[in-house]
Amino acid sequence: MITTDFVPGSPCWLDLGAPDVPAAAAFYGAVLDWTYEPMTGGGEDMGGGMFRKDGKIVAGLGKLTEPGARSAWMIYYSVTDADATTEAVERGGGTVRVPPTDLDEWGRMAQYSDPLGGQFAVWQPGTNKGVDLVDAPGALSWTELYTTDAAAARDFYGSVFGWQYSDMDMPGGGTYTLITPAGLPPERMQGGLMQLPSEHLSLADGRPYWHPVFDVPDCDAAIAKVTDHGGSIQMGPDDAEDVGRLAVCLDPSKADFVVLTPTPK
């Protein structure tokens, strides 16, 4: 369960870098029933903004500007000290993509790549703690890393965030590693990671990547909206015991995300 009690190491924000902001806003509005609110400065559109669900902020959206970058969701994890986290990333063999940067009084952010190339970010809160809504229909409910080396990923992220891990066997073979913030009980599990061969990670040219899982009331209805609005289905829909019905989706710009209708508790 992800909550808005953003303890260190828990996901607290996510945003999408898209080549076409209006098109992305329209797509996610149709699929997840989000409302897009553009940011303005001096009366001008800043080329990005916020997604809201029932009036609550659920994610950000911005123009993809990095040369050669793919459109993708970036997940931010809450930290108490972005500078100390940056040092931990470098000690662990990661790369600093964006050094700790102040965003007015809202907070302080940094972006990294793990030693295998998986990109992630951190947020040191100021006046803004993160998104307003999680673990509800139309909101973030899980985070997931596909990696080429699960043991190396566990070691790296454990050294950076102090995450706790537990393993479960997957149907058909393989292991799925569950992630819980440091010191919290199993019911606060927030994500997972799994090892895949590089040829299965073609979206990122064989490198690992994180993606978000969004809660939806009806998985099949959600994927119908995905395809009706120019997206595609990469995997599923499938029923996962004690988890729910899910599908891995791509938006029209090939940014990946998962829709999940959870098993009733």
Side-chain angles (χ1 to χ4, degrees):
M1 174 187 293
I2 296 176
T3 79
T4 52
D5 172 21
F6 298 129
V7 300
S10 65
C12 64
W13 182 259
L14 69 163
D15 54 36
L16 173 67
D20 185 331
V21 168
F27 173 82
Y28 287 97
V31 172
L32 297 174
D33 194 26
W34 286 352
T35 301
Y36 176 62
E37 181 180 284
M39 292 183 66
T40 58
E44 295 184 3
D45 188 338
M46 303 295 286
M50 307 295 178
F51 283 119
R52 292 183 181 268
K53 171 68 174 176
D54 300 328
K56 297 181 179 181
I57 294 174
V58 290
L61 172 62
K63 179 75 172 177
L64 184 66
T65 58
E66 184 178 345
R70 77 179 184 98
S71 183
W73 283 96
M74 180 69 72
I75 300 171
Y76 294 70
Y77 295 93
S78 186
V79 296
T80 57
D81 186 333
D83 294 283
T85 302
T86 297
E87 293 174 2
V89 166
E90 293 178 320
R91 283 196 303 272
T95 302
V96 179
R97 300 181 61 250
V98 179
T101 303
D102 290 320
L103 298 179
D104 297 324
E105 73 281 1
W106 299 332
R108 190 165 168 80
M109 61 81 71
Q111 295 184 359
Y112 315 106
S113 293
D114 68 28
L116 298 168
Q119 296 182 2
F120 67 105
V122 298
W123 179 252
Q124 178 185 326
T127 58
N128 189 323
K129 306 298 183 184
V131 295
D132 298 328
L133 183 69
V134 294
D135 201 35
L140 180 71
S141 63
W142 193 253
T143 64
E144 191 168 63
L145 173 67
Y146 290 167
T147 182
T148 50
D149 189 331
R154 287 170 58 129
D155 288 346
F156 172 76
Y157 289 101
S159 71
V160 172
F161 294 123
W163 285 344
Q164 304 170 120
Y165 301 113
S166 59
D167 290 337
M168 60 179 287
D169 294 330
M170 292 190 300
T175 300
Y176 191 86
T177 297
L178 300 163
I179 300 168
T180 306
L184 293 187
E187 57 264 28
R188 285 293 301 272
M189 284 186 293
Q190 65 191 28
L193 65 87
M194 60 186 295
Q195 183 168 313
L196 293 170
S198 60
E199 58 266 27
H200 289 185
L201 305 177
S202 58
L203 282 178
D205 297 324
R207 297 187 305 276
Y209 55 87
W210 286 93
H211 58 209
V213 178
F214 297 117
D215 184 312
V216 294
D218 184 328
C219 178
D220 293 270
I223 63 176
K225 292 176 182 177
V226 167
T227 56
D228 286 347
H229 291 84
S232 58
I233 308 306
Q234 192 178 36
M235 184 184 75
D238 295 311
D239 294 307
E241 186 177 0
D242 298 325
V243 175
R245 187 164 175 81
L246 58 88
V248 182
C249 306
L250 301 178
D251 72 17
S253 296
K254 306 299 184 186
D256 57 301
F257 63 99
V258 175
V259 291
L260 167 67
T261 301
T263 300
K265 298 176 182 178

Short mmCIF file of all heavy atoms in Angstrom, two decimals, residues 5 27-28 37 39 81 89 104 193 218 226 248 256:
data_model
loop_
_atom_site.label_atom_id
_atom_site.label_comp_id
_atom_site.label_asym_id
_atom_site.label_seq_id
_atom_site.Cartn_x
_atom_site.Cartn_y
_atom_site.Cartn_z
N ASP A 5 1.58 9.36 3.53
CA ASP A 5 2.54 9.52 4.62
C ASP A 5 3.91 9.22 4.01
O ASP A 5 4.40 8.09 4.06
CB ASP A 5 2.22 8.54 5.75
CG ASP A 5 3.29 8.52 6.83
OD1 ASP A 5 4.06 9.50 6.93
OD2 ASP A 5 3.38 7.51 7.56
N PHE A 27 -4.84 11.92 -23.76
CA PHE A 27 -4.81 10.46 -23.62
C PHE A 27 -5.08 10.05 -22.18
O PHE A 27 -5.97 9.21 -21.92
CB PHE A 27 -3.46 9.91 -24.08
CG PHE A 27 -3.27 8.45 -23.83
CD1 PHE A 27 -3.80 7.52 -24.72
CD2 PHE A 27 -2.58 8.00 -22.72
CE1 PHE A 27 -3.65 6.15 -24.48
CE2 PHE A 27 -2.42 6.63 -22.48
CZ PHE A 27 -2.95 5.71 -23.37
N TYR A 28 -4.34 10.60 -21.23
CA TYR A 28 -4.50 10.18 -19.83
C TYR A 28 -5.82 10.68 -19.25
O TYR A 28 -6.39 10.04 -18.35
CB TYR A 28 -3.30 10.61 -19.00
CG TYR A 28 -2.07 9.79 -19.31
CD1 TYR A 28 -1.11 10.24 -20.20
CD2 TYR A 28 -1.90 8.54 -18.75
CE1 TYR A 28 -0.01 9.47 -20.53
CE2 TYR A 28 -0.80 7.75 -19.05
CZ TYR A 28 0.15 8.23 -19.95
OH TYR A 28 1.25 7.46 -20.26
N GLU A 37 -4.17 20.47 -15.74
CA GLU A 37 -4.13 21.87 -15.33
C GLU A 37 -2.77 22.45 -15.73
O GLU A 37 -1.77 22.19 -15.07
CB GLU A 37 -4.33 21.97 -13.82
CG GLU A 37 -4.34 23.36 -13.24
CD GLU A 37 -4.53 23.31 -11.74
OE1 GLU A 37 -5.68 23.08 -11.30
OE2 GLU A 37 -3.54 23.49 -11.00
N MET A 39 0.47 24.77 -16.13
CA MET A 39 1.13 25.79 -15.33
C MET A 39 1.36 27.00 -16.22
O MET A 39 1.68 26.87 -17.40
CB MET A 39 2.47 25.27 -14.79
CG MET A 39 2.35 24.18 -13.76
SD MET A 39 3.95 23.68 -13.10
CE MET A 39 4.45 25.17 -12.25
N ASP A 81 17.30 14.50 2.72
CA ASP A 81 18.48 15.29 2.34
C ASP A 81 18.93 14.84 0.95
O ASP A 81 19.57 13.79 0.80
CB ASP A 81 19.60 15.08 3.37
CG ASP A 81 20.80 15.98 3.13
OD1 ASP A 81 21.04 16.38 1.99
OD2 ASP A 81 21.52 16.26 4.11
N VAL A 89 24.16 7.67 -3.88
CA VAL A 89 24.03 7.18 -5.25
C VAL A 89 25.41 7.02 -5.88
O VAL A 89 25.72 5.99 -6.50
CB VAL A 89 23.16 8.15 -6.09
CG1 VAL A 89 23.29 7.84 -7.58
CG2 VAL A 89 21.71 8.06 -5.66
N ASP A 104 12.05 26.64 -5.94
CA ASP A 104 11.46 27.66 -5.08
C ASP A 104 11.28 27.10 -3.67
O ASP A 104 12.14 26.37 -3.19
CB ASP A 104 10.15 28.17 -5.68
CG ASP A 104 10.36 28.85 -7.03
OD1 ASP A 104 11.40 29.53 -7.18
OD2 ASP A 104 9.51 28.71 -7.93
N LEU A 193 10.46 -5.44 -7.81
CA LEU A 193 11.43 -5.49 -8.90
C LEU A 193 11.56 -6.92 -9.38
O LEU A 193 11.38 -7.87 -8.61
CB LEU A 193 12.77 -4.90 -8.49
CG LEU A 193 13.62 -5.58 -7.40
CD1 LEU A 193 14.54 -6.66 -7.98
CD2 LEU A 193 14.46 -4.55 -6.66
N ASP A 218 -11.86 -0.92 -13.54
CA ASP A 218 -12.14 -2.03 -14.46
C ASP A 218 -10.98 -2.11 -15.44
O ASP A 218 -10.88 -1.29 -16.35
CB ASP A 218 -13.47 -1.80 -15.17
CG ASP A 218 -13.89 -2.94 -16.07
OD1 ASP A 218 -13.01 -3.61 -16.65
OD2 ASP A 218 -15.11 -3.16 -16.23
N VAL A 226 -7.29 2.64 -23.65
CA VAL A 226 -5.90 2.80 -24.11
C VAL A 226 -5.83 2.62 -25.63
O VAL A 226 -5.28 3.45 -26.36
CB VAL A 226 -4.98 1.79 -23.41
CG1 VAL A 226 -3.61 1.73 -24.10
CG2 VAL A 226 -4.80 2.16 -21.94
N VAL A 248 0.03 -4.35 -18.88
CA VAL A 248 1.11 -3.39 -19.14
C VAL A 248 0.77 -2.65 -20.42
O VAL A 248 0.56 -3.28 -21.46
CB VAL A 248 2.47 -4.09 -19.26
CG1 VAL A 248 3.58 -3.06 -19.47
CG2 VAL A 248 2.76 -4.93 -18.01
N ASP A 256 5.51 3.65 -20.87
CA ASP A 256 4.87 2.46 -20.31
C ASP A 256 4.29 2.73 -18.93
O ASP A 256 4.83 3.49 -18.14
CB ASP A 256 5.85 1.30 -20.26
CG ASP A 256 7.09 1.62 -19.46
OD1 ASP A 256 7.80 2.58 -19.81
OD2 ASP A 256 7.36 0.92 -18.46
#
